[in-house]
Amino acid sequence: MRDDAAVQVEATELLRTLIRNACVNDGTPGSGQEYRNADALEDYLAGVGLGFERYVSGPERVSLITRIEGRDPSAPTLLLMGHTDVVPANPRAWQRDPFGAEVVDGIVWGRGATDMLHLTATMAVAVRRLAARDFRPRGTLIYLAVADEEAFGTYGAGYLTAHHSDAIRADYVITESGGVPVPTRSGPVFPVTIGEKGVNWRRIIVGGTAGHGSMPFRTDNALVTAAEVIRRIAAYQPRPTILDVWRRYLEAIDLPAETVAALSDADRVLDAAGRMDHVGFARTAHACTHTTFSPNMIRGGVKVNMVPDHVAIEVDIRALPGVMPSDVDHMLSEALGDLRDHVLIEAPCAEPGSMSSFDTPLAESLGRVTAALVPGSRIAPRLMVGATDARYFRWNGVPAYGFGLHSPRIPHTDYTVMFHGNDERIDVESLRLSSLMWEALCRDFLG
Ligand SMILES: [Zn+2]
């Protein structure tokens, strides 16, 4: 028990350091400055015989690797990956300083507390404890503290995949998103993220003919055409696809049989989500069964007395795994109908989704260690609608999961609000649980 308390204190203090370092990534190449957290982690992990590799992808953009070499080359390599950057925060909208890392009543407040510095910290705690206890596993353990997850991984996982693939070669990967308990009648269920939707951004350029705003009759107004383009996109619903992961998740979380039946039937899911009281779950049900189209930005017009001749509409499209970027373009054409030939479409981002099998030795191991730490619990596979660095590995056929082990103190419904939102926070019991889980997992899985 004393040892458990020490783990909690250690993880809490390391997380606070990482939050205070404020490696804020606003998407510009000079932001992030992840060297601060790489330095902090190297300092923390020093003194127990670990070696370090630093990968510099740009000025002040540093990723850190340490590894515990396995003794059996045929045994699997496990990569634990935590990102060190965070998204910006607006201090005026927070109850506490987003970079103060205050601890109040067992809760650590700060940007990154749940995305995902808590896991980056607890993974490091486990690695340090294993190294200090002279852990000599069969398989190799790699810990990667990676930069730039919050801006697509260009200076982080993407850079390493392209330029240092040997350094991150692994048979299995675990990173963020998952492990927040969903209460059910038969005990808590801890979701494991096994797949993600593909990010597809499309820019629709609508043209028109400039004219005087005082004579709108029979003009070719790009903004008016754009309004119809947006209306059609918003109304468009592609045919649902019921993925195996969605069905398995529904069955695991103990919903009424009729609800499970409706939400896992391509002919009924849209109607069932439409009638659901809980709007958050309705959105999830829709997003997990459809490629979604959300028109989110518009730029057009230069002056109030001029008929505009140019409007750009930015659409955020999230494709189900198995739906290729070319399929997305086909769907968009279908949505636009006869307006398709009147617009230009650019693709600032075109990525397929990614999916791993849940039927792996790693999933079995996760199930074992989770049930040992939280008796009566079980794990279940889940599709994530956002994107993480896991996709770089899944695209190459390496099973990559999102997990952590959270206490029930902060309800699972709060997590979606905290991600990139205000008042991000984590309870210290979750830090203890995750630290112990990573350590137990390495012992169980790497042997
Ligand atoms: Zn994240």
Side-chain angles (χ1 to χ4, degrees):
M1 253 0 246
R2 260 183 48 208
D3 190 42
D4 272 24
V7 167
Q8 183 169 304
V9 170
E10 208 167 312
T12 302
E13 289 313 309
L14 180 58
L15 171 61
R16 297 178 76 194
T17 300
L18 300 183
I19 291 172
R20 289 191 190 116
N21 278 339
C23 298
V24 176
N25 185 347
D26 64 13
T28 58
S31 71
Q33 302 168 323
E34 293 92 343
Y35 76 92
R36 287 196 291 268
N37 274 344
D39 288 352
L41 287 162
E42 190 172 332
D43 284 351
Y44 169 74
L45 289 165
V48 286
L50 292 164
F52 301 98
E53 303 155 37
R54 291 169 74 96
Y55 295 91
V56 182
S57 55
E60 306 184 321
R61 314 296 306 253
V62 178
S63 296
L64 180 77
I65 287 180
T66 189
R67 57 182 84 229
I68 296 177
E69 225 45 75
R71 52 193 157 77
D72 178 356
S74 69
T77 294
L78 173 65
L79 172 65
L80 299 181
M81 174 170 63
H83 66 77
T84 51
D85 60 328
V86 297
V87 294
N90 172 11
R92 285 186 304 279
W94 281 57
Q95 291 182 46
R96 300 185 182 277
D97 177 0
F99 300 104
E102 290 173 61
V103 184
V104 183
D105 186 26
I107 304 261
V108 185
W109 291 68
R111 176 57 89 216
T114 54
D115 180 13
M116 65 171 289
L117 301 180
H118 65 316
L119 299 177
T120 309
T122 54
M123 286 169 175
V125 168
V127 170
R128 190 177 203 287
R129 283 167 58 88
L130 288 165
R133 286 162 177 70
D134 220 15
F135 180 51
R136 288 282 168 265
R138 279 186 60 230
T140 294
L141 170 64
I142 306 175
Y143 171 73
L144 164 60
V146 73
D148 199 35
E149 191 276 343
E150 297 294 0
F152 277 105
T154 311
Y155 296 96
Y159 167 82
L160 291 171
T161 303
H163 301 288
H164 300 283
S165 58
D166 283 346
I168 56 168
R169 182 155 295 135
D171 300 296
Y172 295 92
V173 174
I174 307 187
T175 185
E176 67 187 316
S177 189
V180 180
V182 180
T184 74
R185 284 188 306 270
S186 49
V189 171
F190 290 92
V192 179
T193 299
I194 63 164
E196 296 170 12
K197 295 179 81 176
V199 181
N200 284 267
W201 291 337
R202 296 293 182 272
R203 181 176 301 129
I204 303 177
I205 311 288
V206 183
T209 308
H212 201 287
S214 62
M215 293 180 293
F217 188 59
R218 293 177 67 176
T219 53
D220 178 16
N221 183 324
L223 201 53
V224 174
T225 309
E228 176 61 12
V229 166
I230 292 166
R231 194 201 61 76
R232 289 185 188 186
I233 291 169
Y236 179 66
Q237 293 292 353
R239 168 113 186 119
T241 301
I242 307 300
L243 297 167
D244 185 51
V245 59
W246 174 241
R247 191 176 283 117
R248 283 173 81 166
Y249 179 70
L250 288 177
E251 285 165 359
I253 59 172
D254 216 13
L255 295 169
E258 172 48 31
T259 309
V260 173
L263 292 178
S264 52
D265 179 342
D267 292 327
R268 292 160 66 199
V269 60
L270 186 60
D271 183 53
R275 284 186 285 101
M276 208 171 270
D277 290 333
H278 191 309
V279 73
F281 191 62
R283 282 180 195 151
T284 299
H286 178 262
C288 287
T289 54
H290 293 76
T291 293
T292 56
F293 294 73
S294 190
N296 292 345
M297 288 172 73
I298 184 164
R299 286 189 307 277
V302 285
K303 207 162 178 295
V304 70
N305 63 354
M306 282 178 71
V307 173
D309 63 358
H310 185 275
V311 171
I313 304 160
E314 310 273 353
V315 191
D316 185 3
I317 305 169
R318 302 298 172 119
L320 284 174
V323 175
M324 292 294 117
S326 58
D327 301 324
V328 166
D329 291 320
H330 184 78
M331 289 178 185
L332 194 53
S333 295
E334 194 174 77
L336 295 176
D338 61 352
L339 285 175
R340 173 63 189 90
D341 294 337
H342 297 271
V343 300
L344 289 172
I345 300 179
E346 298 171 356
C349 182
E351 291 186 347
S354 63
M355 184 66 78
S356 298
S357 169
F358 190 57
D359 302 310
T360 65
L362 180 61
E364 285 171 23
S365 189
L366 277 174
R368 271 193 301 274
V369 299
T370 300
L373 284 162
V374 184
S377 70
R378 59 198 191 281
I379 60 171
R382 180 184 79 146
L383 174 72
M384 186 177 163
V385 298
T388 73
D389 281 340
R391 71 197 194 288
Y392 286 105
F393 295 89
R394 294 195 197 106
W395 286 335
N396 288 324
V398 176
Y401 295 157
F403 200 62
L405 195 61
H406 297 244
S407 88
R409 179 160 176 194
I410 299 176
H412 69 105
T413 42
D414 281 15
Y415 279 85
T416 42
V417 184
M418 291 193 293
F419 264 84
H420 298 195
N422 302 323
D423 295 336
E424 204 179 327
R425 62 204 183 279
I426 189 81
D427 61 291
V428 295
E429 168 65 3
S430 291
L431 300 176
R432 187 186 72 88
L433 279 173
S434 284
S435 301
L436 295 178
M437 184 275 294
W438 300 124
E439 186 179 349
L441 179 74
C442 291
R443 290 189 185 282
D444 184 277
F445 183 68
L446 295 172

